[in-house]
Amino acid sequence: MKKILFAILILIGSVSAARAESPLIAQADSAYNADNFRQAADIYLNVIQHEGASAKLYYNLGNTYYRLGEMGNAILSYERALRLDPSDEDVRNNLAFVNARITDRPGERGTFLGNALDAISAYAHSNAWAWIAFTCFVLTLAAVMAYLFSRVVKIRKLGFFGGIFTFIATCVCIYFSARSAAIALADDAAIITVPSTILSTTPRVPQDRSQEAMLLHEGTKVTILDSVRSTTDSIHSLWYDVEVDNAHRAWINAAAVQKI
């Protein structure tokens, strides 16, 4: 309950300072605090495009979109912020806060073990996991040295069993580092950013009710499995084969989603 209240205070409060030395960012912050949310969003996007992205910029952009009532773009911004800084609790709280207010409630995605490993991996940046792995490796070397060269039995035992533990920890952290990097670089996750869209059983606009797979609303996260270009009445369009959850898969117009 405290986390939810904290998230609400964040969302209705001022945006966080992010690279305040930039005049454009200061201008965007001022626009946000003056309730000129559309202007603030446009400036934040301009800064991201021309000066580079950061977790705080996407966080502020997500807050701005939330105030505009654009839940899909808000979730997209928070997801992008987490990829840059998975340890940011403010972003996590706000993402959970907004996700709880979207229309759709997809079923289970993936497997329990896979989701658990992803959750642990995504909780820290891949570089952080790499540094932990390096520290564990150094401790492993120290334990090996203690085992080989110490004449004290207790220290030799500590070196032997401690070395086994830290070696296993090194391998685990290397795995989480690689998995965290894969999550951050993945281009198969997308967020629906239009108010609503009808998914199709074929990669084209449904011709009748039999070709309509399901109706989804903004903010829903999907996994892209494949893509194909379609031409209907001389109109070219890109369609994604997406998985909504373990039980639902269909085609969606690429214009309705944005990749994280």
Side-chain angles (χ1 to χ4, degrees):
M1 185 64 182
K2 289 183 178 179
K3 285 188 175 181
I4 294 177
L5 292 175
F6 182 66
I8 295 174
L9 291 174
I10 292 172
L11 287 168
I12 64 177
S14 299
V15 294
S16 296
R19 295 190 354 226
E21 69 274 8
S22 169
L24 279 178
I25 293 177
Q27 185 180 347
D29 293 347
S30 297
Y32 180 96
N33 293 325
D35 293 345
N36 296 324
F37 302 119
R38 178 57 62 192
Q39 180 185 5
D42 291 340
I43 298 174
Y44 283 133
L45 286 172
N46 185 44
V47 173
I48 290 172
Q49 182 178 1
H50 294 96
E51 298 184 16
S54 71
K56 284 300 181 184
L57 280 173
Y58 274 125
Y59 169 74
N60 290 347
L61 182 61
N63 290 348
T64 306
Y65 277 131
Y66 174 81
R67 297 300 295 268
L68 286 168
E70 299 180 16
M71 299 299 188
N73 284 322
I75 291 173
L76 177 68
S77 299
Y78 292 141
E79 290 278 8
R80 288 175 173 174
L82 280 181
R83 288 199 170 188
L84 295 174
D85 185 5
S87 63
D88 195 317
E89 287 296 328
D90 291 344
V91 178
R92 288 187 178 276
N93 290 337
N94 282 15
L95 178 59
F97 176 83
V98 179
N99 270 327
R101 280 152 180 77
I102 62 176
T103 303
D104 301 319
R105 291 290 182 270
E108 184 179 354
R109 296 187 177 106
T111 64
F112 175 79
L113 179 59
N115 292 337
L117 292 174
D118 284 345
I120 297 173
S121 302
Y123 204 79
H125 196 279
S126 60
N127 289 343
W129 284 116
W131 275 110
I132 297 174
F134 176 76
T135 301
C136 291
F137 179 71
V138 171
L139 291 175
T140 301
L141 293 179
V144 171
M145 297 293 288
Y147 174 76
L148 293 176
F149 298 106
S150 177
R151 296 183 179 180
V152 180
V153 175
K154 288 185 177 180
I155 295 180
R156 284 173 59 84
K157 287 184 177 180
L158 181 63
F160 179 78
F161 292 107
I164 293 176
F165 175 79
T166 54
F167 176 74
I168 294 174
T170 300
C171 296
V172 170
C173 290
I174 290 174
Y175 171 81
F176 283 140
S177 176
R179 195 166 183 125
S180 177
I183 293 173
L185 297 174
D187 63 349
D188 62 346
I191 304 295
I192 296 177
T193 53
V194 296
S196 64
T197 183
I198 296 177
L199 278 67
S200 176
T201 58
T202 59
R204 64 178 183 178
V205 177
Q207 303 299 309
D208 51 49
R209 294 294 296 273
S210 65
Q211 295 182 1
E212 295 180 1
M214 67 192 80
L215 173 68
L216 292 179
H217 302 81
E218 65 176 331
T220 303
K221 188 176 183 178
V222 297
T223 302
I224 299 173
L225 304 176
D226 197 3
S227 64
V228 65
R229 293 195 175 274
S230 176
T231 302
T232 303
D233 297 330
S234 300
I235 298 177
H236 303 281
S237 58
L238 177 64
W239 287 78
Y240 291 138
D241 179 13
V242 299
E243 184 180 65
V244 182
D245 53 36
N246 291 344
H248 298 90
R249 176 177 174 179
W251 292 90
I252 188 171
N253 193 312
V257 299
Q258 288 194 52
K259 291 183 177 182
I260 298 173

